[in-house]
Amino acid sequence: MLVAAAVCPAPPLLVPEVAAGAAAELGDARTACSDALAVLAASRPDLLVVVGAAAEGGGYDQGTPGSFAGFGVDLTVTLGPDLGEPPSGHATGDALPASLAVAGWLLGQARWAAAPVAGVAVAEDLPPSGCGLLGADLGRSADRVAMLVLGDGSACRTLKAPGYLDERAAGFDAAAAGALGAADTAALAAIDAGLAGELQAAGRAPWQVLAGAAEGADLAGRLLYEDAPYGVGYFVATWS
């Protein structure tokens, strides 16, 4: 059963070494993420499931490595504490996708030791119904499940945003922030996948996995952070 969740943004720029001289711009977001992880630890979970979007879906074991070399930084992280032995990882032997690598960095900063960790990459194009079913399965994966969900809102908030300016983006992000802050599973499940794709909102699928996991859990939400630096919607929320 899902007992707590934290929603955090997934940009590699959240990692100071990647952001370099611009690291201070996401300082408040990092602080909010730290606070959100503390809520997860306080929930006394039996298992922490980390969920993030990727080109392909798959599972990752605790200790699977991830790298930020593709972003010009010689930095390696692991998904939760390093077990000291090669994990089986993804079926193909790949390292963590970027969203789960960011999660690994966050867990490392928090010195996570509250529960074992399992990673789940959700295919970016997984339909809402599939996300809901996956979430329901994950919510039943232990007696007390906590979930760390990595995902961004629209990437079309400004002219310099990755997806350029789209007048629909601000409304999309406002609705997403409201649903995340209220732990509104119905509103998250109802996000239009087509619109999310047009707005390059990579958080759509992970958020809908969370909605499936939290169905019937009666959790209360709190929005800790909302902003759109670089023209991308970033949110931090807790459910407990």
Side-chain angles (χ1 to χ4, degrees):
M1 176 181 179
L2 188 72
V3 295
V7 176
C8 294
L13 285 172
L14 202 62
V15 178
E17 291 88 340
V18 176
E25 295 180 19
L26 289 180
D28 289 345
R30 291 186 201 96
T31 298
C33 290
S34 177
D35 292 343
L37 283 168
V39 171
L40 296 184
S43 71
R44 297 177 290 107
D46 299 318
L47 175 68
L48 174 66
V49 179
V50 181
V51 179
E56 297 181 359
Y60 296 83
D61 294 334
Q62 180 170 321
T64 300
S67 172
F68 293 95
F71 302 95
V73 176
D74 183 17
L75 175 65
T76 299
V77 297
T78 59
L79 186 67
D82 190 346
L83 298 176
E85 58 186 24
S88 59
H90 189 246
T92 64
D94 293 339
L96 297 173
S99 62
L100 297 186
V102 172
W105 182 83
L106 289 172
L107 291 170
Q109 294 300 298
R111 301 182 184 276
W112 179 266
V117 180
V120 177
V122 184
E124 295 168 351
D125 59 356
L126 186 66
S129 59
C131 293
L133 290 172
L134 174 59
D137 285 344
L138 295 175
R140 294 190 293 263
S141 57
D143 288 341
R144 297 182 62 83
V145 177
M147 190 171 284
L148 172 58
V149 180
L150 281 292
D152 303 337
S154 74
C156 302
R157 291 283 293 274
T158 67
L159 292 173
K160 294 184 178 181
Y164 197 64
L165 176 64
D166 190 310
E167 62 183 13
R168 301 170 296 174
F172 178 93
D173 285 347
L180 293 171
D184 189 337
T185 58
L188 289 177
I191 292 175
D192 185 282
L195 176 60
E198 292 173 10
L199 297 176
Q200 301 182 23
R204 188 276 305 175
W207 297 339
Q208 290 182 327
V209 170
L210 170 60
E215 187 66 33
D218 194 28
L219 301 178
R222 182 184 176 199
L223 189 66
L224 304 184
Y225 176 88
E226 176 187 4
D227 203 355
Y230 318 115
V232 182
Y234 296 152
F235 318 106
V236 180
T238 58
W239 294 16
S240 61

